[in-house]
Amino acid sequence: QSALTQPASVSGSPGQSITISCTGTSSDVGSYNLVSWYQHHPGKAPKLMIYEDSKRPSGVSNRFSGSKSGNTASLTISGLQAEDEADYYCCSYAGSYTSYVIFGGGTKLTVL
Amino acid sequence: EVQLVESGGGLVQPGGSLRLSCAASGFTFSSYSMNWVRQAPGKGLEWVSYISSGSRTTNYADSVKGRFTISRDNAKNSLYLQMNSLRAEDTAVYSCARVSPGSNYVFDIWGQGTMVTVSS
């Protein structure tokens, strides 16, 4: 099972909005409403930001939103803030006969 | 405070073994399924292994199947990963992660990780 495809990097200025894409296949992203997104500041524990494609855990800012169309999921961050600078990973259920879950390669978000 | 703290990483020669531990606190450990996830230097996250709350079900990535064994001791609030026949490509930061109680395949709490380096 190949990793999900994410852009290596994205950038934006404070206050702007950015979107990170996550492309899988009809066997994973496209088949289940089970895409999650994680924020990872190097050296710290990853943090769950979005689950089940578009649900936001309690305590996560509403500036973060998730969506999906076909085999591609997206994470949008609005009103960019300096503390949003981090690595972001998507993750999807991969089907019961394969790996438990698969991750994307990660996207480095730079806040200019 | 809900917390996961990994330990046991270090430098090991190819073909060697290492046992990682993950200490859980701040929640009822025995009620949650757990996972190990790793990140090789300069690479993305890779799921490694899963264990159900009562240890009945385990699952492994193809890359570690037959070499790694996941286990847990609910009385000690601890998760383990026994790693045998280690290879250079196993070099990574290994983190434990809790499965969300409300949604399978979602990791709601993570540890910071412990570094494993496989090198001669």
Side-chain angles (χ1 to χ4, degrees):
Chain A
Q1 195 100 17
S2 300
L4 306 176
T5 301
Q6 297 181 234
S9 63
V10 298
S11 62
S13 300
Q16 289 186 332
S17 294
I18 63 95
T19 296
I20 300 172
S21 62
C22 170
T23 301
T25 69
S26 57
S27 298
D28 39 65
V29 173
S31 286
Y32 312 96
N33 295 325
L34 290 171
V35 173
S36 51
W37 289 89
Y38 300 90
Q39 177 190 64
H40 188 206
H41 290 101
K44 295 192 174 182
K47 178 183 178 182
L48 174 66
M49 306 304 286
I50 296 289
Y51 68 101
E52 292 179 356
D53 293 355
S54 60
K55 297 179 180 179
R56 202 168 41 246
S58 173
V60 172
S61 171
N62 58 11
R63 297 186 298 106
F64 292 82
S65 62
S67 63
K68 192 177 74 176
S69 177
N71 298 334
T72 298
S74 298
L75 173 71
T76 298
I77 309 173
S78 60
L80 270 179
Q81 299 178 2
E83 58 262 37
D84 298 333
E85 184 163 298
D87 298 319
Y88 290 85
Y89 293 89
C90 62
C91 178
S92 175
Y93 174 57
S96 60
Y97 298 103
T98 62
S99 175
Y100 181 69
V101 295
I102 52 173
F103 286 94
T107 298
K108 170 66 178 177
L109 168 62
T110 301
V111 180
L112 303 170
Chain B
E1 179 190 7
V2 175
Q3 197 172 11
L4 297 171
V5 179
E6 302 89 343
S7 61
L11 175 64
V12 60
Q13 293 188 337
S17 298
L18 211 56
R19 189 196 195 204
L20 305 183
S21 298
C22 169
S25 59
F27 64 98
T28 306
F29 179 71
S30 59
S31 296
Y32 293 84
S33 298
M34 298 292 296
N35 291 265
W36 286 98
V37 178
R38 68 184 180 183
Q39 184 175 27
K43 303 290 187 179
L45 299 173
E46 179 189 16
W47 170 77
V48 173
S49 185
Y50 161 92
I51 187 167
S52 60
S53 57
S55 302
R56 175 179 293 185
T57 302
T58 59
N59 198 358
Y60 299 91
D62 288 342
S63 57
V64 306
K65 200 170 293 184
R67 301 187 298 121
F68 289 11
T69 302
I70 191 171
S71 63
R72 63 191 295 163
D73 186 336
N74 286 342
K76 294 183 177 179
N77 292 332
S78 293
L79 174 73
Y80 306 103
L81 186 67
Q82 177 66 44
M83 304 185 296
N84 299 330
S85 303
L86 283 162
R87 307 166 180 168
E89 54 264 37
D90 295 319
T91 294
V93 173
Y94 286 74
S95 298
C96 54
R98 187 181 84 170
V99 174
S100 170
S103 183
N104 282 333
Y105 317 109
V106 177
F107 306 150
D108 64 345
I109 302 294
W110 296 64
Q112 286 188 265
T114 186
M115 183 71 203
V116 172
T117 303
V118 184
S119 175
S120 55

